[in-house]
Amino acid sequence: MEKENKQIRTRFAPSPTGYLHIGGLRTALYSYLYAKKTGGKFILRIEDTDRERLVEDSVQKIMDTLKDAGLTYDEGPDVGGDYGPYIQSERKNEYLKYARILVEKGAAYYCFCSKERLDSLPDVNGARHYDKHCLHLSKEEVERRIADGEPWVIRQNMPTEGVSSYTDAVYGEIAVKNEELEDNILIKSDGMPTYNFANVIDDHLMGINCVMRGTEYLTSTPKYNLLYDAFGWERPMYVHMPPIMRDAQHKLSKRDGAASYEDLIEKGYLKEAIINYIALLGWSPKNNMEKMTFEQLQELFSLEGINKSPAIFDETKLKWLNGLYIKELPFEKFVEMATPYFEKSKAAGKYDYAKLAKLLQGRVEALTEIPEKINFLEEFGAFDRNLYVNQKQKSDIASAQEVLPKVRETLAGVENWENSVLYQTLVELAGKLGKKNATVLWPTRVAISGKESTPGGATELAELLGKEETLRRLDFSIKLF
Ligand code: GLU
């Protein structure tokens, strides 16, 4: 069959060791996008054979996160499919069968070496290379020792000469000297497969023909290819993705906070913005567009756009993107999403949330900024007079001191306490005083908020605060001079 005609099958194969890390989510996203782009299938497989690292509930969390993020898998543990089981431990009886086939072919062998013997092997740069001690045991001896109940493992028999190579879709030709390949354990003494073995068997049995994963597997892939070759199976295509870094030197790790999807959601980022940003961690479209809807991502994604160089996780950029997504939300939706944050603020229950939302929608980059931004509504006290100084707004301390008593007097006479009326009143006052509008509006805003920046101008804030509170604050600030 022509390779091009084959339907692409990609997979995301997380180990259920906790929350979905950003790196994992990116693997899932790219695998999803590539499958969709090519009319293929995206599969979820849970790799749970390392029993010690399992974290309860994490399979459910992984599935929930993928669905929440819109990365619907075509086959997986809960949705089933024709290539099951989708949980590695459920395939556990198969691995030994396949390992025995390799033993028959001479591509693997039983090893009985004790821990003491392995520890006594020469240490080369911190690693002990197994010396193939058990490779030449006779079949009879192997059978007798197994029957005697001696503990054993099965190791891969690596060639000792020549070079193994393959072409990665991102990194190009990868070649490793065979003498550097360790005779990895394929089946552990408890009968369970190692990752090194299980990933190949699973991928083959599940019809995976496109393996997408992090660069940590780039140089062990030749070992996996030797297994495919030994079985006479067709090798999959490989796409390795660049590491995600916290900065030029350090990989992004769980300790950096914001390392999982849940962390980012909790930090007030919208899922659309998270997915958009994660797509850019190691990939860019030909037209270098940055803000892309999920549909656009599906349309624009290509393997050619994946970069070789490490991607740096830049939260400022995520914030910026998130701000754009927040601005675009339908107003009602924004009110709904912002409400829990209003509830957490000092202004909880005291103001009209729709009015607050109107002020905030264009002014926050993350929902978590909301409480801080509106706390001035309930928090007011002495502030630095230098806040009045602003060249662009033609304001300084002296002009503020001159203007504010007049603002107070004028506002005291306003009956209809509404932003547009208040605004008109202050503009007229500025005209009367022969001053620029800003020379009146800027100090008023400072005087009633005590803050350098606020969501909204003087009269928007005044409307929210109400007449009584606005005048009280003006009196307080005038006395402060
Ligand atoms: N379970 C492996 C991991 O979480 C999967 C690697 C792969 O994609 O083959 O790193």
Side-chain angles (χ1 to χ4, degrees), residues 53-90:
R53 292 173 61 224
L54 296 193
V55 176
E56 219 192 315
D57 286 347
S58 47
V59 173
Q60 194 55 47
K61 272 187 202 138
I62 289 168
M63 297 193 299
D64 291 347
T65 299
L66 290 176
K67 287 176 199 162
D68 189 53
L71 307 180
T72 0
Y73 37 90
D74 300 295
E75 299 167 27
D78 54 342
V79 294
D82 294 339
Y83 296 79
Y86 293 88
I87 297 202
Q88 199 165 59
S89 57
E90 290 172 14

mmCIF file of all heavy atoms in Angstrom, residues 53-90:
data_model
loop_
_atom_site.group_PDB
_atom_site.id
_atom_site.type_symbol
_atom_site.label_atom_id
_atom_site.label_comp_id
_atom_site.label_asym_id
_atom_site.label_seq_id
_atom_site.Cartn_x
_atom_site.Cartn_y
_atom_site.Cartn_z
ATOM 1 N N ARG A 53 4.535 5.045 40.176
ATOM 2 C CA ARG A 53 4.349 6.479 39.924
ATOM 3 C C ARG A 53 2.877 6.879 39.737
ATOM 4 O O ARG A 53 2.569 8.037 39.502
ATOM 5 C CB ARG A 53 5.172 6.904 38.695
ATOM 6 C CG ARG A 53 6.671 6.836 38.959
ATOM 7 C CD ARG A 53 7.448 7.083 37.682
ATOM 8 N NE ARG A 53 7.184 8.403 37.116
ATOM 9 C CZ ARG A 53 6.967 8.636 35.831
ATOM 10 N NH1 ARG A 53 6.962 7.631 34.985
ATOM 11 N NH2 ARG A 53 6.751 9.844 35.394
ATOM 12 N N LEU A 54 1.989 5.900 39.844
ATOM 13 C CA LEU A 54 0.581 6.201 39.591
ATOM 14 C C LEU A 54 -0.011 7.153 40.624
ATOM 15 O O LEU A 54 0.261 7.053 41.805
ATOM 16 C CB LEU A 54 -0.257 4.918 39.615
ATOM 17 C CG LEU A 54 0.048 3.882 38.542
ATOM 18 C CD1 LEU A 54 -1.058 2.843 38.501
ATOM 19 C CD2 LEU A 54 0.171 4.562 37.175
ATOM 20 N N VAL A 55 -0.834 8.063 40.157
ATOM 21 C CA VAL A 55 -1.534 8.955 41.066
ATOM 22 C C VAL A 55 -3.025 8.736 40.837
ATOM 23 O O VAL A 55 -3.502 8.786 39.709
ATOM 24 C CB VAL A 55 -1.159 10.436 40.800
ATOM 25 C CG1 VAL A 55 -1.975 11.363 41.689
ATOM 26 C CG2 VAL A 55 0.326 10.655 41.027
ATOM 27 N N GLU A 56 -3.722 8.466 41.907
ATOM 28 C CA GLU A 56 -5.147 8.171 41.834
ATOM 29 C C GLU A 56 -5.890 9.308 41.120
ATOM 30 O O GLU A 56 -5.521 10.478 41.295
ATOM 31 C CB GLU A 56 -5.676 8.040 43.259
ATOM 32 C CG GLU A 56 -6.700 6.931 43.389
ATOM 33 C CD GLU A 56 -7.409 7.023 44.724
ATOM 34 O OE1 GLU A 56 -6.701 7.226 45.738
ATOM 35 O OE2 GLU A 56 -8.631 6.917 44.728
ATOM 36 N N ASP A 57 -6.902 8.979 40.387
ATOM 37 C CA ASP A 57 -7.739 9.976 39.719
ATOM 38 C C ASP A 57 -7.089 10.649 38.527
ATOM 39 O O ASP A 57 -7.738 11.415 37.832
ATOM 40 C CB ASP A 57 -8.119 11.149 40.663
ATOM 41 C CG ASP A 57 -9.152 10.746 41.666
ATOM 42 O OD1 ASP A 57 -9.722 9.664 41.466
ATOM 43 O OD2 ASP A 57 -9.371 11.508 42.621
ATOM 44 N N SER A 58 -5.783 10.422 38.309
ATOM 45 C CA SER A 58 -5.198 11.241 37.250
ATOM 46 C C SER A 58 -5.671 10.829 35.862
ATOM 47 O O SER A 58 -5.691 11.660 34.963
ATOM 48 C CB SER A 58 -3.683 11.355 37.351
ATOM 49 O OG SER A 58 -3.094 10.134 37.556
ATOM 50 N N VAL A 59 -6.075 9.578 35.684
ATOM 51 C CA VAL A 59 -6.594 9.189 34.364
ATOM 52 C C VAL A 59 -7.851 10.017 34.063
ATOM 53 O O VAL A 59 -7.991 10.594 32.985
ATOM 54 C CB VAL A 59 -6.928 7.677 34.311
ATOM 55 C CG1 VAL A 59 -7.609 7.330 33.002
ATOM 56 C CG2 VAL A 59 -5.656 6.856 34.497
ATOM 57 N N GLN A 60 -8.708 10.103 35.070
ATOM 58 C CA GLN A 60 -9.931 10.884 34.892
ATOM 59 C C GLN A 60 -9.600 12.351 34.615
ATOM 60 O O GLN A 60 -10.175 12.982 33.728
ATOM 61 C CB GLN A 60 -10.802 10.758 36.160
ATOM 62 C CG GLN A 60 -12.227 11.234 35.974
ATOM 63 C CD GLN A 60 -12.945 10.540 34.813
ATOM 64 O OE1 GLN A 60 -12.897 9.314 34.673
ATOM 65 N NE2 GLN A 60 -13.575 11.323 33.934
ATOM 66 N N LYS A 61 -8.626 12.885 35.347
ATOM 67 C CA LYS A 61 -8.250 14.293 35.154
ATOM 68 C C LYS A 61 -7.708 14.535 33.758
ATOM 69 O O LYS A 61 -8.022 15.542 33.132
ATOM 70 C CB LYS A 61 -7.184 14.688 36.187
ATOM 71 C CG LYS A 61 -7.804 15.167 37.472
ATOM 72 C CD LYS A 61 -6.730 15.716 38.396
ATOM 73 C CE LYS A 61 -7.241 15.694 39.819
ATOM 74 N NZ LYS A 61 -6.211 15.245 40.754
ATOM 75 N N ILE A 62 -6.899 13.601 33.280
ATOM 76 C CA ILE A 62 -6.336 13.754 31.933
ATOM 77 C C ILE A 62 -7.468 13.771 30.905
ATOM 78 O O ILE A 62 -7.525 14.636 30.029
ATOM 79 C CB ILE A 62 -5.336 12.613 31.631
ATOM 80 C CG1 ILE A 62 -4.068 12.809 32.473
ATOM 81 C CG2 ILE A 62 -5.003 12.560 30.149
ATOM 82 C CD1 ILE A 62 -3.139 11.611 32.481
ATOM 83 N N MET A 63 -8.397 12.837 31.067
ATOM 84 C CA MET A 63 -9.503 12.768 30.100
ATOM 85 C C MET A 63 -10.368 14.029 30.177
ATOM 86 O O MET A 63 -10.742 14.598 29.153
ATOM 87 C CB MET A 63 -10.351 11.513 30.351
ATOM 88 C CG MET A 63 -9.535 10.237 30.141
ATOM 89 S SD MET A 63 -10.505 8.694 30.054
ATOM 90 C CE MET A 63 -11.281 8.648 31.637
ATOM 91 N N ASP A 64 -10.630 14.487 31.393
ATOM 92 C CA ASP A 64 -11.439 15.701 31.559
ATOM 93 C C ASP A 64 -10.741 16.914 30.937
ATOM 94 O O ASP A 64 -11.376 17.730 30.268
ATOM 95 C CB ASP A 64 -11.691 15.990 33.051
ATOM 96 C CG ASP A 64 -12.613 14.951 33.673
ATOM 97 O OD1 ASP A 64 -13.239 14.187 32.905
ATOM 98 O OD2 ASP A 64 -12.692 14.891 34.918
ATOM 99 N N THR A 65 -9.448 17.023 31.184
ATOM 100 C CA THR A 65 -8.704 18.169 30.652
ATOM 101 C C THR A 65 -8.722 18.174 29.127
ATOM 102 O O THR A 65 -8.962 19.208 28.504
ATOM 103 C CB THR A 65 -7.244 18.146 31.150
ATOM 104 O OG1 THR A 65 -7.271 18.226 32.562
ATOM 105 C CG2 THR A 65 -6.448 19.306 30.593
ATOM 106 N N LEU A 66 -8.464 17.005 28.540
ATOM 107 C CA LEU A 66 -8.438 16.951 27.069
ATOM 108 C C LEU A 66 -9.790 17.374 26.499
ATOM 109 O O LEU A 66 -9.859 18.140 25.539
ATOM 110 C CB LEU A 66 -8.090 15.541 26.585
ATOM 111 C CG LEU A 66 -6.649 15.093 26.845
ATOM 112 C CD1 LEU A 66 -6.460 13.644 26.403
ATOM 113 C CD2 LEU A 66 -5.657 15.992 26.105
ATOM 114 N N LYS A 67 -10.856 16.901 27.132
ATOM 115 C CA LYS A 67 -12.187 17.247 26.630
ATOM 116 C C LYS A 67 -12.460 18.732 26.836
ATOM 117 O O LYS A 67 -12.963 19.412 25.945
ATOM 118 C CB LYS A 67 -13.246 16.393 27.309
ATOM 119 C CG LYS A 67 -13.210 14.967 26.784
ATOM 120 C CD LYS A 67 -14.198 14.076 27.524
ATOM 121 C CE LYS A 67 -13.818 12.619 27.314
ATOM 122 N NZ LYS A 67 -14.429 11.746 28.303
ATOM 123 N N ASP A 68 -12.104 19.212 28.016
ATOM 124 C CA ASP A 68 -12.340 20.617 28.325
ATOM 125 C C ASP A 68 -11.591 21.518 27.342
ATOM 126 O O ASP A 68 -12.095 22.548 26.906
ATOM 127 C CB ASP A 68 -11.863 20.899 29.759
ATOM 128 C CG ASP A 68 -12.282 22.280 30.226
ATOM 129 O OD1 ASP A 68 -13.485 22.574 30.134
ATOM 130 O OD2 ASP A 68 -11.411 23.063 30.657
ATOM 131 N N ALA A 69 -10.384 21.100 26.985
ATOM 132 C CA ALA A 69 -9.572 21.902 26.085
ATOM 133 C C ALA A 69 -9.981 21.720 24.620
ATOM 134 O O ALA A 69 -9.427 22.359 23.731
ATOM 135 C CB ALA A 69 -8.096 21.545 26.276
ATOM 136 N N GLY A 70 -10.928 20.833 24.374
ATOM 137 C CA GLY A 70 -11.415 20.648 23.001
ATOM 138 C C GLY A 70 -10.645 19.597 22.211
ATOM 139 O O GLY A 70 -10.850 19.434 21.013
ATOM 140 N N LEU A 71 -9.722 18.883 22.893
ATOM 141 C CA LEU A 71 -8.923 17.887 22.176
ATOM 142 C C LEU A 71 -9.607 16.516 22.263
ATOM 143 O O LEU A 71 -9.150 15.614 22.950
ATOM 144 C CB LEU A 71 -7.509 17.830 22.767
ATOM 145 C CG LEU A 71 -6.792 19.175 22.845
ATOM 146 C CD1 LEU A 71 -5.400 19.029 23.440
ATOM 147 C CD2 LEU A 71 -6.688 19.793 21.453
ATOM 148 N N THR A 72 -10.708 16.400 21.559
ATOM 149 C CA THR A 72 -11.482 15.158 21.627
ATOM 150 C C THR A 72 -10.744 14.056 20.897
ATOM 151 O O THR A 72 -10.376 14.223 19.740
ATOM 152 C CB THR A 72 -12.858 15.328 20.945
ATOM 153 O OG1 THR A 72 -12.941 16.666 20.465
ATOM 154 C CG2 THR A 72 -13.980 15.031 21.876
ATOM 155 N N TYR A 73 -10.562 12.949 21.598
ATOM 156 C CA TYR A 73 -9.861 11.823 20.975
ATOM 157 C C TYR A 73 -10.880 10.880 20.340
ATOM 158 O O TYR A 73 -11.989 10.719 20.834
ATOM 159 C CB TYR A 73 -8.964 11.098 21.982
ATOM 160 C CG TYR A 73 -9.538 11.004 23.380
ATOM 161 C CD1 TYR A 73 -10.338 9.924 23.755
ATOM 162 C CD2 TYR A 73 -9.299 12.014 24.304
ATOM 163 C CE1 TYR A 73 -10.873 9.856 25.026
ATOM 164 C CE2 TYR A 73 -9.836 11.953 25.580
ATOM 165 C CZ TYR A 73 -10.629 10.874 25.941
ATOM 166 O OH TYR A 73 -11.167 10.803 27.197
ATOM 167 N N ASP A 74 -10.434 10.283 19.221
ATOM 168 C CA ASP A 74 -11.334 9.388 18.488
ATOM 169 C C ASP A 74 -11.422 8.026 19.148
ATOM 170 O O ASP A 74 -12.416 7.321 19.000
ATOM 171 C CB ASP A 74 -10.832 9.216 17.045
ATOM 172 C CG ASP A 74 -10.788 10.546 16.324
ATOM 173 O OD1 ASP A 74 -11.866 11.125 16.134
ATOM 174 O OD2 ASP A 74 -9.690 11.020 15.978
ATOM 175 N N GLU A 75 -10.335 7.637 19.815
ATOM 176 C CA GLU A 75 -10.318 6.351 20.519
ATOM 177 C C GLU A 75 -9.625 6.578 21.852
ATOM 178 O O GLU A 75 -8.713 7.388 21.942
ATOM 179 C CB GLU A 75 -9.518 5.307 19.714
ATOM 180 C CG GLU A 75 -10.097 5.031 18.335
ATOM 181 C CD GLU A 75 -9.133 4.246 17.443
ATOM 182 O OE1 GLU A 75 -8.288 3.491 17.968
ATOM 183 O OE2 GLU A 75 -9.232 4.400 16.213
ATOM 184 N N GLY A 76 -10.065 5.855 22.874
ATOM 185 C CA GLY A 76 -9.446 6.032 24.187
ATOM 186 C C GLY A 76 -10.137 5.165 25.211
ATOM 187 O O GLY A 76 -11.124 4.491 24.904
ATOM 188 N N PRO A 77 -9.622 5.188 26.452
ATOM 189 C CA PRO A 77 -10.135 4.287 27.480
ATOM 190 C C PRO A 77 -11.643 4.378 27.682
ATOM 191 O O PRO A 77 -12.312 3.363 27.833
ATOM 192 C CB PRO A 77 -9.425 4.742 28.754
ATOM 193 C CG PRO A 77 -8.265 5.532 28.306
ATOM 194 C CD PRO A 77 -8.578 6.079 26.956
ATOM 195 N N ASP A 78 -12.195 5.582 27.669
ATOM 196 C CA ASP A 78 -13.626 5.699 27.950
ATOM 197 C C ASP A 78 -14.497 5.661 26.704
ATOM 198 O O ASP A 78 -15.681 5.382 26.787
ATOM 199 C CB ASP A 78 -13.911 6.979 28.754
ATOM 200 C CG ASP A 78 -13.354 8.220 28.083
ATOM 201 O OD1 ASP A 78 -12.470 8.091 27.204
ATOM 202 O OD2 ASP A 78 -13.791 9.332 28.410
ATOM 203 N N VAL A 79 -13.906 5.944 25.527
ATOM 204 C CA VAL A 79 -14.730 5.932 24.312
ATOM 205 C C VAL A 79 -14.533 4.654 23.491
ATOM 206 O O VAL A 79 -15.282 4.384 22.561
ATOM 207 C CB VAL A 79 -14.489 7.184 23.424
ATOM 208 C CG1 VAL A 79 -14.952 8.435 24.141
ATOM 209 C CG2 VAL A 79 -13.039 7.305 22.995
ATOM 210 N N GLY A 80 -13.510 3.873 23.863
ATOM 211 C CA GLY A 80 -13.272 2.611 23.160
ATOM 212 C C GLY A 80 -12.680 2.812 21.780
ATOM 213 O O GLY A 80 -12.133 3.874 21.479
ATOM 214 N N GLY A 81 -12.809 1.794 20.937
ATOM 215 C CA GLY A 81 -12.236 1.833 19.589
ATOM 216 C C GLY A 81 -11.817 0.427 19.193
ATOM 217 O O GLY A 81 -11.896 -0.505 20.001
ATOM 218 N N ASP A 82 -11.371 0.292 17.945
ATOM 219 C CA ASP A 82 -11.049 -1.040 17.426
ATOM 220 C C ASP A 82 -9.648 -1.515 17.776
ATOM 221 O O ASP A 82 -9.237 -2.594 17.371
ATOM 222 C CB ASP A 82 -11.173 -1.032 15.891
ATOM 223 C CG ASP A 82 -12.614 -0.810 15.468
ATOM 224 O OD1 ASP A 82 -13.500 -1.071 16.309
ATOM 225 O OD2 ASP A 82 -12.846 -0.364 14.318
ATOM 226 N N TYR A 83 -8.868 -0.665 18.443
ATOM 227 C CA TYR A 83 -7.473 -1.036 18.687
ATOM 228 C C TYR A 83 -7.146 -1.125 20.171
ATOM 229 O O TYR A 83 -6.061 -0.811 20.598
ATOM 230 C CB TYR A 83 -6.531 -0.039 18.015
ATOM 231 C CG TYR A 83 -6.618 -0.017 16.508
ATOM 232 C CD1 TYR A 83 -7.640 0.661 15.858
ATOM 233 C CD2 TYR A 83 -5.655 -0.674 15.745
ATOM 234 C CE1 TYR A 83 -7.721 0.689 14.473
ATOM 235 C CE2 TYR A 83 -5.722 -0.658 14.361
ATOM 236 C CZ TYR A 83 -6.762 0.033 13.718
ATOM 237 O OH TYR A 83 -6.829 0.070 12.356
ATOM 238 N N GLY A 84 -8.124 -1.486 20.980
ATOM 239 C CA GLY A 84 -7.936 -1.537 22.416
ATOM 240 C C GLY A 84 -7.047 -2.688 22.840
ATOM 241 O O GLY A 84 -6.656 -3.492 21.986
ATOM 242 N N PRO A 85 -6.742 -2.835 24.107
ATOM 243 C CA PRO A 85 -7.116 -1.902 25.164
ATOM 244 C C PRO A 85 -6.349 -0.577 25.083
ATOM 245 O O PRO A 85 -5.262 -0.535 24.522
ATOM 246 C CB PRO A 85 -6.750 -2.655 26.447
ATOM 247 C CG PRO A 85 -5.748 -3.678 26.036
ATOM 248 C CD PRO A 85 -6.047 -4.027 24.626
ATOM 249 N N TYR A 86 -6.942 0.449 25.637
ATOM 250 C CA TYR A 86 -6.316 1.775 25.594
ATOM 251 C C TYR A 86 -5.602 2.115 26.905
ATOM 252 O O TYR A 86 -5.151 3.225 27.089
ATOM 253 C CB TYR A 86 -7.367 2.833 25.224
ATOM 254 C CG TYR A 86 -7.827 2.619 23.798
ATOM 255 C CD1 TYR A 86 -8.878 1.757 23.498
ATOM 256 C CD2 TYR A 86 -7.138 3.215 22.744
ATOM 257 C CE1 TYR A 86 -9.254 1.510 22.193
ATOM 258 C CE2 TYR A 86 -7.506 2.972 21.437
ATOM 259 C CZ TYR A 86 -8.570 2.117 21.160
ATOM 260 O OH TYR A 86 -8.918 1.865 19.866
ATOM 261 N N ILE A 87 -5.585 1.127 27.797
ATOM 262 C CA ILE A 87 -4.832 1.286 29.042
ATOM 263 C C ILE A 87 -3.764 0.210 29.030
ATOM 264 O O ILE A 87 -4.064 -0.980 28.888
ATOM 265 C CB ILE A 87 -5.772 1.137 30.266
ATOM 266 C CG1 ILE A 87 -6.806 2.258 30.203
ATOM 267 C CG2 ILE A 87 -4.991 1.118 31.573
ATOM 268 C CD1 ILE A 87 -7.485 2.624 31.475
ATOM 269 N N GLN A 88 -2.526 0.662 29.144
ATOM 270 C CA GLN A 88 -1.405 -0.232 28.943
ATOM 271 C C GLN A 88 -1.448 -1.477 29.839
ATOM 272 O O GLN A 88 -1.184 -2.582 29.379
ATOM 273 C CB GLN A 88 -0.139 0.567 29.223
ATOM 274 C CG GLN A 88 1.104 -0.022 28.656
ATOM 275 C CD GLN A 88 2.207 1.011 28.670
ATOM 276 O OE1 GLN A 88 2.563 1.522 29.714
ATOM 277 N NE2 GLN A 88 2.745 1.325 27.508
ATOM 278 N N SER A 89 -1.787 -1.280 31.115
ATOM 279 C CA SER A 89 -1.734 -2.435 32.020
ATOM 280 C C SER A 89 -2.705 -3.538 31.586
ATOM 281 O O SER A 89 -2.513 -4.705 31.910
ATOM 282 C CB SER A 89 -2.020 -1.999 33.462
ATOM 283 O OG SER A 89 -3.268 -1.356 33.515
ATOM 284 N N GLU A 90 -3.733 -3.170 30.814
ATOM 285 C CA GLU A 90 -4.677 -4.179 30.353
ATOM 286 C C GLU A 90 -4.111 -5.027 29.206
ATOM 287 O O GLU A 90 -4.697 -6.012 28.790
ATOM 288 C CB GLU A 90 -5.996 -3.517 29.909
ATOM 289 C CG GLU A 90 -6.760 -2.968 31.092
ATOM 290 C CD GLU A 90 -7.967 -2.128 30.689
ATOM 291 O OE1 GLU A 90 -8.374 -2.179 29.507
ATOM 292 O OE2 GLU A 90 -8.488 -1.410 31.565
#
